[in-house]
Every structure is written in structure tokens, then in C-alpha cells.
Amino acid sequence: MSLWLYRFLLILAFPAIAYSGWKRCHRAKKQAKKDSDYAPIPHCFAARFGWSRQPFQQGGIWVHAVSVGETRSIFPLLTELKKAYPDLPITVTNGSTQGAQQALRFAPVPIQHQMIPYDYPSAVQRFLKKLQPRLVIMVETEIWPNLYQACWDQQIPLILANARIKEKSFYAYQKWGGKLIANALNQTRLIASQFALDTEHMQALGAHPARVKQLGNLKFDIDVPTNLTTEMQQWRQTYGLENKFIWVAASTHEKEEALMLQAHQQLLQHQPNALLILVPRHTDRFIEVAQLLSEKNIPFVSRSKDDLIQADTQVYLADTIGELMKWFAASDAAFIGGSLVPFGGHNILEPAALKKPVLSGQYHKNLQALYDSFKQDDAILISKDENELAQQLIQLAESPEWRMQKAEDAYACFKKQAGALPKLMHEIGQLLPPTE
């Protein structure tokens, strides 16, 4: 595909793109009005076309992360960028409103923020003119040909950091991308890939080998708060949960919560005081999941209502934003959702970093290389269905020694792969020397 054909197709798709963007921004605006914890996203829809009226400091570093997981992964990077370049403004953009919530509410350093403009030449040009960045860092699979072309034309160095390509995306790029994707990849100054498979994918799509360096996965450089484990131990003591087996089902998707509840009911037959902390992936499904629990007559309490955990409570519905690390720290084991239904999996590193046994379903192709590294070290428990998951949970609950061993395995696999962040900062320093 050529750049001109890509632009023509974008024009044809304009009504659908605009409607989708308006709908998501409208939903986010309604959510901010009814939930005081939900940060308003300034000029959400207008920003998608480069029309944001926000004032921006110019000449800084622009970092883009599309959604929740990617945004959380850049927090240590933002901290290091601020240390190295204290006088430069840092701008963060997101492609999803959920990612924007993470950036607006939990960024570890002061940032400028807006939604990323859609990849229309005029929208991209307006944003670059307003921002005039000295460096652009795109995270993971964010390959936008018009944006890359504009940065190349204006001699703005661009890094594709923590680069990876899902298998499905790789085959789609191979089939339809052709010269368009190859040109975009070669308009970067650096492609910092996560794993060897990602390096192979980038080069197979046309990236010049000299541009690709395998630096590792930024998500391994998690900054775990030093007092988090102690804080959550106190939480367990406050609610009298010291002797309960607590497991987290995190980032669950539609139809997956029902499978978690089935597994939990089997666990309760062996561990009657077990507690499930259920964390749906998307905030707009919190009410839906609460209704599911009510319909099944399952005793539950909600985090958002500050309900007290009672003796008969079976499920704690964690229906808030930004507290997932807390629930991992409070748990005895962690299941990562999007994997028992055919979505493709989510990040397994946070519970591993907290030294918890990590469980997953069989659908994890979105993060295949990451999962493979854990499988090779026998550092993750994979289940094909809710019944196998239940048996794994029962074994973890009934054998503290095995539970501790699986926690150590997960942590060791996580720890040996850390170190991508200092490597990336070194590369950034080659393009943008740190201030003295």
C-alpha cells in the first residue's frame, strides 16, 4: 500500500472514525460528571483532530501510549525522563480514554496531556506545530504513517519504544502494509524491541536491521511502592482476612467473570472462607458485573461504596481505577484475564513483581513472547477452562509450600528480564543529550 492510498482510505473512513471518537469522548464526559474520581479529559474530541485549545509548553518530549497497560508501563520512563531533562516539558498522549485516566490521575511527574490526534495529515501537523517536540517516543505497536512522515519531514527524532507486534497485526501488516509500513519503520531513529520475535517481525516488515535494537520489555522495570505490601497486610488485618485464601481475577472481560465465579464456587467447596477480588478490565462494565453477582445471589461488596467485608462475603468487586497493584499485593494468587475467553491476554508482570503465583487462561497470543518466557521457566500456571483453574486454585490454597514455590518462580523470571529502562535511556541520550 502507498501513503497516498492510505490517506484516501482514511478519508473514506472519516465518518466512522469521527463517530467512534465522539462516542468514546461523550461516554468519558458523562463518566466524569457522575464519578468524582474520574478525571475530565480536556477537549477530548477536538484533540483527535488537532484542535485542542490547551496551551502547551513547546520544545519538550512527547510520549504516546495507547491504553491502560501501555500507560502504566511508561511511568518509570516518565520519572527517568524528568530526572534527565528537568527543564523540558513532558507531554503524554493516549489513544483510549481509559489510558487517559491512568495518565491524568497517576502520572508520577507533571505532564501535559491530550488525546492523540487521528492520523490525518492536517490533524498531525496542527498538533506538531503547537507542541514542537524535540523528541517523540511511541510505545509498543503505535505505527502511524502520516505522523511518522511528518516527524521525518520536520527532522523530529522518533523512537518506537518497547516495540512489539501481535501475531494477528503482523500478518495484517504483511498482507496490506507493504511499502507503507516499511517506510514508516525506517523513518524512526530507533526501534527498541522487546523480544527476539519482535525484532524478527520488525525486520520482516522492512525495518533496516541497524534501526532495531532488542532492549527488553519496559514493563519489567516496574516501580513497586516500598510500603505497598505492608499497607495491604494491614488491610487484611483490618478486615480479619489474615487466614483467608484471597485470589485476584484481574482485567476480566465480558463472559469471563461468569467463569471466574464458577471456579470460585469450586474453590469454596474446599476453602469455605476463600475470597475473590474481581477486577473488570473496563470501567463501563462495573455495573454490569455487579448485576451479574446480584443475579447469582453471590454475597459481595463493592470497593467504590467502601462496603465492609463480612464473614459471608465471597466476592470483593474492585470497581475503582488505579488500585490493581494494591489487590495484587493483598492476594495469595493472581489470575490475569482476557485469557480464558479468546481476547489474547494482558500483562502478567505486576503480580510477578510482587512475588505472587501467576495464573492465566490459554488465550494469550497478544503477548505470546512474554508468556513464552514465563512458560519456559515454569513460572506461570495455564488453564484451559474454569474447571482446571479451580483445581489450580485449590492446590495453591491447600499447599502453602507449592504456592510459595510458584511465587518464587514467577518473581525469578520477572527479575532476570529487568533492565530495559536504563538501556532505553542510554539510547535516548544519544539523540537528546541530558541537561547538565
Side-chain angles (χ1 to χ4, degrees):
M1 182 187 297
S2 69
L3 183 59
W4 292 107
L5 177 56
Y6 170 71
R7 289 175 175 175
F8 176 69
L9 293 175
L10 279 180
I11 292 171
L12 294 181
F14 180 84
I17 291 172
Y19 175 71
S20 175
W22 174 84
K23 186 177 180 181
R24 292 177 183 182
C25 287
H26 181 67
R27 186 186 302 141
K29 186 176 181 179
K30 287 175 61 178
Q31 183 74 22
K33 285 183 177 179
K34 70 178 183 180
D35 185 350
S36 59
D37 289 334
Y38 198 94
I41 304 173
H43 313 293
C44 177
F45 183 59
R48 302 312 303 262
F49 299 95
W51 291 116
S52 174
R53 296 186 296 275
Q54 291 186 82
F56 283 103
Q57 289 181 273
Q58 297 179 337
I61 302 170
W62 169 19
V63 184
H64 172 69
V66 61
S67 194
V68 176
E70 295 85 357
T71 304
R72 287 206 300 259
S73 77
I74 66 169
F75 285 171
L77 172 61
L78 298 182
T79 299
E80 292 304 309
L81 288 173
K82 199 57 173 178
K83 289 179 183 176
Y85 309 98
D87 298 327
L88 296 186
I90 297 175
T91 302
V92 174
T93 59
N94 294 103
S96 79
T97 55
Q98 296 300 322
Q101 285 301 305
Q102 294 292 320
L104 288 166
R105 294 183 57 193
F106 306 114
V109 299
I111 62 169
Q112 305 179 130
H113 181 274
Q114 80 156 56
M115 301 298 289
I116 190 174
Y118 290 124
D119 199 38
Y120 289 95
S122 57
V124 169
Q125 293 289 356
R126 278 192 287 270
F127 184 59
L128 287 177
K129 182 178 179 180
K130 190 165 191 176
L131 198 60
Q132 296 183 24
R134 293 177 59 186
L135 176 68
V136 176
I137 303 173
M138 307 295 285
V139 176
E140 295 207 4
T141 321
E142 292 296 278
I143 305 171
W144 298 107
N146 285 319
L147 172 59
Y148 281 43
Q149 184 68 53
C151 289
W152 181 260
D153 291 342
Q154 297 180 35
Q155 298 183 346
I156 303 169
L158 185 149
I159 294 174
L160 181 57
N162 221 38
R164 70 181 181 95
I165 295 185
K166 303 174 187 176
E167 287 295 317
K168 184 177 180 180
S169 299
F170 173 65
Y171 293 125
Y173 283 146
Q174 274 195 319
K175 184 175 182 180
W176 304 108
K179 186 178 179 181
L180 179 72
I181 296 300
N183 285 346
L185 292 175
N186 287 308
Q187 287 168 338
T188 64
R189 296 292 293 273
L190 169 69
I191 299 172
S193 62
Q194 295 185 15
F195 296 97
L197 180 61
D198 302 307
T199 300
E200 294 170 9
H201 281 169
M202 293 295 176
Q203 293 180 2
L205 292 174
H208 192 284
R211 294 190 186 275
V212 187
K213 293 185 180 181
Q214 186 182 328
L215 302 186
N217 189 340
L218 284 178
K219 292 179 180 178
F220 282 98
D221 291 273
I222 297 171
D223 185 15
V224 178
T226 54
N227 63 340
L228 183 60
T229 298
T230 301
E231 177 186 338
M232 297 318 292
Q233 286 175 345
Q234 292 173 348
W235 178 82
R236 289 184 66 142
Q237 292 171 1
T238 299
Y239 288 98
L241 307 176
E242 303 100 309
N243 298 319
K244 282 183 179 285
F245 177 78
I246 300 177
W247 68 289
V248 176
S251 298
T252 55
H253 286 244
E254 186 177 4
K255 298 183 180 179
E256 200 167 29
E257 288 87 9
L259 301 177
M260 298 300 102
L261 296 177
Q262 290 177 40
H264 190 56
Q265 292 304 310
Q266 294 182 51
L267 172 64
L268 288 170
Q269 294 175 16
H270 296 260
Q271 296 285 325
N273 68 343
L275 177 69
L276 164 61
I277 301 178
L278 187 55
V279 192
R281 175 71 174 181
H282 297 112
T283 58
D284 56 5
R285 297 192 58 251
F286 288 163
I287 295 176
E288 173 190 335
V289 176
Q291 290 174 343
L292 173 67
L293 291 164
S294 297
E295 290 169 2
K296 291 184 175 294
N297 296 316
I298 293 175
F300 78 99
V301 296
S302 297
R303 165 65 171 166
S304 63
K305 298 178 182 177
D306 287 328
D307 292 336
L308 297 178
I309 297 174
Q310 306 296 330
D312 66 339
T313 300
Q314 295 180 7
V315 176
Y316 187 79
L317 179 58
D319 52 353
T320 52
I321 298 173
E323 296 190 300
L324 187 55
M325 286 288 280
K326 285 186 177 182
W327 309 131
F328 286 142
S331 72
D332 296 299
F335 175 87
I336 306 302
S339 62
L340 212 56
V341 293
F343 174 80
H346 290 295
N347 181 16
I348 57 178
L349 295 177
E350 290 177 336
L354 287 163
K355 203 175 289 189
K356 306 294 177 178
V358 182
L359 303 98
S360 172
Q362 61 181 320
Y363 302 106
H364 42 257
K365 63 182 180 180
N366 290 350
L367 296 158
Q368 192 64 50
L370 172 60
Y371 273 74
D372 285 347
S373 70
F374 272 70
K375 287 180 182 180
Q376 289 166 9
D377 289 357
D378 195 23
I380 187 169
L381 297 170
I382 303 293
S383 53
K384 66 179 184 295
D385 57 29
E386 67 277 15
N387 297 319
E388 187 172 6
L389 172 61
Q391 293 306 309
Q392 292 168 343
L393 290 168
I394 292 167
Q395 189 175 357
L396 289 169
E398 293 183 346
S399 176
E401 296 82 7
W402 189 63
R403 184 166 75 235
M404 184 178 299
Q405 181 60 57
K406 299 316 295 180
E408 291 288 348
D409 291 343
Y411 181 73
C413 184
F414 161 80
K415 198 66 178 175
K416 78 177 185 180
Q417 299 186 69
L421 181 56
K423 296 175 187 176
L424 179 59
M425 287 301 299
H426 172 76
E427 297 295 336
I428 290 171
Q430 305 302 301
L431 299 174
L432 189 63
T435 54
E436 296 298 332

